[in-house]
Amino acid sequence: MPASAHFKLWMKLKAEALKPSTSKSMPLEYPKEYPLEEEHTPHYNPRQYYPVEIGQVLGKRYEIILKLGYGTSSTVWLARDKKKLPWKKDQFVTVKVANTGFINILSAEQEKVALRYLAEANPKHRGYRYITKLLDDFTIRSPEGRHVCLVFEPMREPLWLFQKHWDDNKFPIPIFKRLVKLLLEGVDYIHTKGRLIHTDIKPDNILVGFENDQVLLDHIEKALQNPPPTKHTPYRTIYKSNNDFGTLLGPPKQLQIADFGLCFWADSVHPRQPLGQANRFKAPEAILRAPWSYSVDIFNLGVTLWNMLENRMLFWGRDPRTGRYSELCHVAEMIAVLGPPPRALLERSKRAKRYFRENGQFLAPNLVPHNLSLESTVVSLHGEERLKFLRFARRMLRWIPEERATAAELLGDPFLWGA
């Protein structure tokens, strides 16, 4: 990418000062009676979000250009690093602004410490390149308290959005195998060199990079000309995320495992410590409150394979009576797919009595779907390759945590190296 392209865009940003003008469209004002973006999140508290504004400079360095996304505990923004020379291609960054509140601050601080350690653990390891890198961090304040800000290089999109570029939102088999190898390399690095347990591996937390620098530059120019809708509230301006980078122009240059806000140091995990995970990705030990360790990440990745290969959830956990998620229904689906859990697991579970009788019999056998099995969920593979995949997946999807293969062991599986 020639330096002139970056310099040209920098001059445009400087001239327009990232403010509305007559030369470009005015942003649409979103109706106040309808929720926008983070207002949809569970237990939404508007006071906890920092009032980020387009054109604002955070940390005396990062000039906000547009909003990339949001969550229950943060918002994410594309910014220009004012300390970088305009012809440098790394002048653009992503700034994750954490909410106030003890849990949000703790999570952001935990992610900061974990990423700093992972950056230095062993850069020569193959999996090092597949872990997100923390470029900078700083703290800002609002009337409600402290906000931890983490700075990363910009990435194109999460894995679930990336796969929409293919037919039926499914990765072609060669690409699927390649991605799984890279993810296993990254998980192996997290486990063996970082001695960390991610605990939240899912498509939202796997990011892919840009195919080339021009994609990001073009996106910024379009955003300047067509500002996204906004909604003004008593606490702040809410912007609609602008994260559609258009048609894929080639293979992405990077893949990264991100969001370490819920990670744990393996040496610090207490055998009876509760484990919170995203509902439909929960490992058995998270539901049953049984001892857990590194292998929760392996189970999470095993579930993620179905999102990538079949564009579906392996486990829904949906209660047919309410339509909402239910751990009881989740366990019922696990029984259908994996068979009944071994007594050895139930005996060390704090919550086994919620779901099973003393003899190990499931309390709600009528909820076990009789038309569901691991085999029935795989329709994109056939013949010997399908059998190899099922054997590969079963090495990850085990009731007993210690029986799951490690990331290093899975990297040698025949399925990943077949034609």
Side-chain angles (χ1 to χ4, degrees):
M1 171 57 54
S4 58
H6 291 272
F7 184 76
K8 180 181 177 182
L9 182 57
W10 176 76
M11 291 298 291
K12 178 172 287 190
L13 290 172
K14 184 177 179 181
E16 298 190 13
L18 297 173
K19 297 177 182 177
S21 71
T22 55
S23 63
K24 57 183 178 179
S25 303
M26 295 295 290
L28 175 69
E29 178 67 22
Y30 204 80
K32 288 182 172 56
E33 61 269 25
Y34 295 108
L36 177 65
E37 299 267 306
E38 52 264 32
E39 291 181 306
H40 288 281
T41 59
H43 314 296
Y44 172 68
N45 184 346
R47 294 178 180 272
Q48 289 191 334
Y49 287 85
Y50 186 84
V52 181
E53 296 280 346
I54 299 296
Q56 181 180 11
V57 177
L58 299 182
K60 300 180 180 180
R61 178 171 179 175
Y62 303 105
E63 187 174 22
I64 301 299
I65 299 175
L66 55 87
K67 184 180 180 183
L68 291 173
Y70 66 94
T72 58
S73 61
S74 65
T75 52
V76 182
W77 305 81
L78 181 69
R80 182 175 68 86
D81 185 350
K82 298 183 71 175
K83 289 191 176 181
K84 294 285 186 178
L85 296 174
W87 51 84
K88 294 288 187 180
K89 68 177 183 179
D90 58 351
Q91 66 172 306
F92 299 107
V93 298
T94 296
V95 181
K96 181 179 179 180
V97 183
N99 293 357
T100 58
F102 175 76
I103 297 300
N104 297 324
I105 293 174
L106 179 64
S107 176
E109 292 285 2
Q110 184 165 278
E111 180 169 25
K112 179 173 68 175
V113 173
L115 290 177
R116 283 178 174 175
Y117 182 80
L118 286 170
E120 300 176 357
N122 186 351
K124 294 182 179 180
H125 187 280
R126 288 174 57 89
Y128 171 83
R129 69 192 75 176
Y130 309 122
I131 307 301
T132 190
K133 306 299 186 296
L134 182 65
L135 304 179
D136 191 15
D137 66 88
F138 57 94
T139 298
I140 52 179
R141 289 190 174 274
S142 71
E144 301 303 319
R146 187 163 67 97
H147 301 261
V148 178
C149 300
L150 305 179
V151 182
F152 305 93
E153 65 178 307
M155 298 292 282
R156 191 186 219 277
E157 54 204 14
L159 192 68
W160 66 267
L161 188 57
F162 178 58
Q163 71 186 75
K164 292 182 181 294
H165 295 288
W166 279 272
D167 293 340
D168 300 323
N169 297 338
K170 299 179 181 180
F171 287 116
I173 305 307
I175 294 177
F176 170 72
K177 291 183 179 181
R178 175 61 177 164
L179 290 172
V180 173
K181 290 177 187 176
L182 301 185
L183 289 172
L184 287 171
E185 293 277 12
V187 171
D188 182 55
Y189 181 76
I190 295 169
H191 289 178
T192 63
K193 304 306 176 184
R195 300 195 63 78
L196 285 164
I197 307 168
H198 188 285
T199 80
D200 198 24
I201 292 178
K202 57 185 179 180
D204 305 64
N205 294 335
I206 300 167
L207 306 178
V208 295
F210 292 98
E211 52 272 47
N212 57 59
D213 297 335
Q214 192 63 45
V215 175
L216 179 58
L217 298 179
D218 290 346
H219 185 73
I220 293 172
E221 286 206 67
K222 290 177 183 177
L224 290 173
Q225 296 303 318
N226 298 287
T230 59
K231 179 179 177 179
H232 296 283
T233 75
Y235 302 101
R236 64 200 174 93
T237 300
I238 300 177
Y239 295 86
K240 186 172 178 59
S241 297
N242 192 338
N243 53 12
D244 183 357
F245 292 94
T247 304
L248 194 66
L249 303 179
K253 294 181 178 180
Q254 291 173 293
L255 179 141
Q256 294 180 352
I257 298 173
D259 202 339
F260 285 76
L262 296 177
C263 74
F264 284 84
W265 299 91
D267 297 338
S268 69
V269 173
H270 189 274
R272 294 295 184 182
Q273 188 169 2
L275 172 64
Q277 294 194 300
N279 284 342
R280 295 176 175 88
F281 293 87
K282 286 180 179 178
E285 55 268 41
I287 298 176
L288 298 174
R289 288 287 180 89
W292 56 275
S293 187
Y294 295 110
S295 59
V296 297
D297 289 343
I298 300 299
F299 194 93
N300 294 159
L301 185 55
V303 173
T304 299
L305 298 181
W306 267 257
N307 296 74
M308 300 168 64
L309 180 66
E310 300 293 351
N311 188 32
R312 60 157 289 171
M313 293 299 308
L314 178 58
F315 302 114
W316 284 100
R318 185 186 291 121
D319 190 327
R321 298 162 296 186
T322 65
R324 298 177 180 175
Y325 173 79
S326 159
E327 286 191 340
L328 182 67
C329 295
H330 195 157
V331 172
E333 290 181 353
M334 285 184 172
I335 292 172
V337 171
L338 307 177
R343 291 291 297 275
L345 177 63
L346 300 182
E347 288 171 357
R348 57 187 183 181
S349 163
K350 292 180 66 176
R351 287 185 171 176
K353 292 182 179 180
R354 289 191 180 191
Y355 312 108
F356 299 92
R357 295 186 174 89
E358 290 291 338
N359 62 1
Q361 189 175 27
F362 187 50
L363 289 175
N366 59 306
L367 291 179
V368 179
H370 300 293
N371 59 344
L372 178 66
S373 66
L374 199 65
E375 289 79 4
S376 69
T377 61
V378 181
V379 298
S380 298
L381 295 172
H382 306 280
E384 182 62 24
E385 190 164 43
R386 183 170 180 269
L387 295 175
K388 285 183 178 180
F389 170 74
L390 289 169
R391 287 194 290 268
F392 171 68
R394 284 194 177 100
R395 299 180 68 191
M396 308 170 77
L397 301 173
R398 299 284 185 92
W399 283 103
I400 301 289
E402 297 84 359
E403 292 181 358
R404 296 170 203 151
T406 65
E409 291 168 344
L410 290 163
L411 277 165
D413 194 272
F415 169 73
L416 296 178
W417 301 98

